[in-house]
Amino acid sequence: MSNVEAESEESCDVRAALKRGLRCKCPNCGEGAVFDGYLKVRSECGVCGLDFTPQRADDGPAYVVILIVCHLGGFALPVAFEQMRDNPLMVACLLSGAAIILSLIMLPPVKAMFVAFQWAKGMHGFGHAGRPAVSQETRCAEGC
């Protein structure tokens, strides 16, 4: 297998894993759930048995969500202030509420994508040697 083919297969694997992570599904099989609750990562996939204990998402997902939400809020602030110039308290309440809701919606998929990326790259003990066998059709079913 040439370098180009190996690199293409690896990027396909990462892309497919990230797509599955966005849906909060197992990066290996795309069937089982990653979370046991709102943000508590399961110990293993209920379908393929992939061990999730090596994951180290830590604070990364929160930083990414804050970065995105604050940029959106920063761009929305002048527009909202222009529309409601006479009521700055309303602007503050609307943007604060929108930021809280958007952060709570975005956090689980971003954290699942962090776990999926770590799995796809074999980071933190997600060794590829111990990876459960999943067919190439299943791995690249998302069209990568």
Side-chain angles (χ1 to χ4, degrees):
M1 183 182 313
S2 71
N3 261 350
V4 175
E5 290 174 7
E7 187 175 307
S8 170
E9 183 177 317
E10 181 178 318
S11 68
C12 175
D13 198 29
V14 172
R15 190 177 309 130
L18 289 176
K19 285 180 184 179
R20 292 177 185 137
L22 185 62
R23 295 187 337 245
C24 297
K25 298 293 183 184
C26 173
N28 186 39
C29 66
E31 304 274 328
V34 172
F35 298 116
D36 205 12
Y38 177 64
L39 287 177
K40 185 176 186 320
V41 178
R42 292 179 180 268
S43 60
E44 67 179 23
C45 176
V47 177
C48 69
L50 176 67
D51 183 23
F52 290 132
T53 55
Q55 67 85 21
R56 298 289 175 255
D58 299 331
D59 292 335
Y63 291 132
V64 169
V65 168
I66 289 171
L67 179 76
I68 293 169
V69 169
C70 288
H71 274 82
L72 293 174
F75 289 122
L77 182 63
V79 175
F81 187 73
E82 186 65 35
Q83 296 297 319
M84 297 179 264
R85 187 176 294 271
D86 59 339
N87 200 349
L89 182 61
M90 181 64 93
V91 172
C93 289
L94 285 175
L95 289 181
S96 297
I100 290 169
I101 291 169
L102 191 57
S103 296
L104 291 173
I105 290 171
M106 287 179 62
L107 201 51
V110 171
K111 185 169 183 175
M113 289 175 70
F114 264 71
V115 172
F117 183 77
Q118 291 174 10
W119 171 82
K121 291 295 187 176
M123 300 166 65
H124 307 296
F126 275 119
H128 292 290
R131 183 185 289 185
V134 174
S135 67
Q136 182 67 21
E137 294 82 31
T138 304
R139 188 171 290 128
C140 287
E142 283 84 19
C144 57

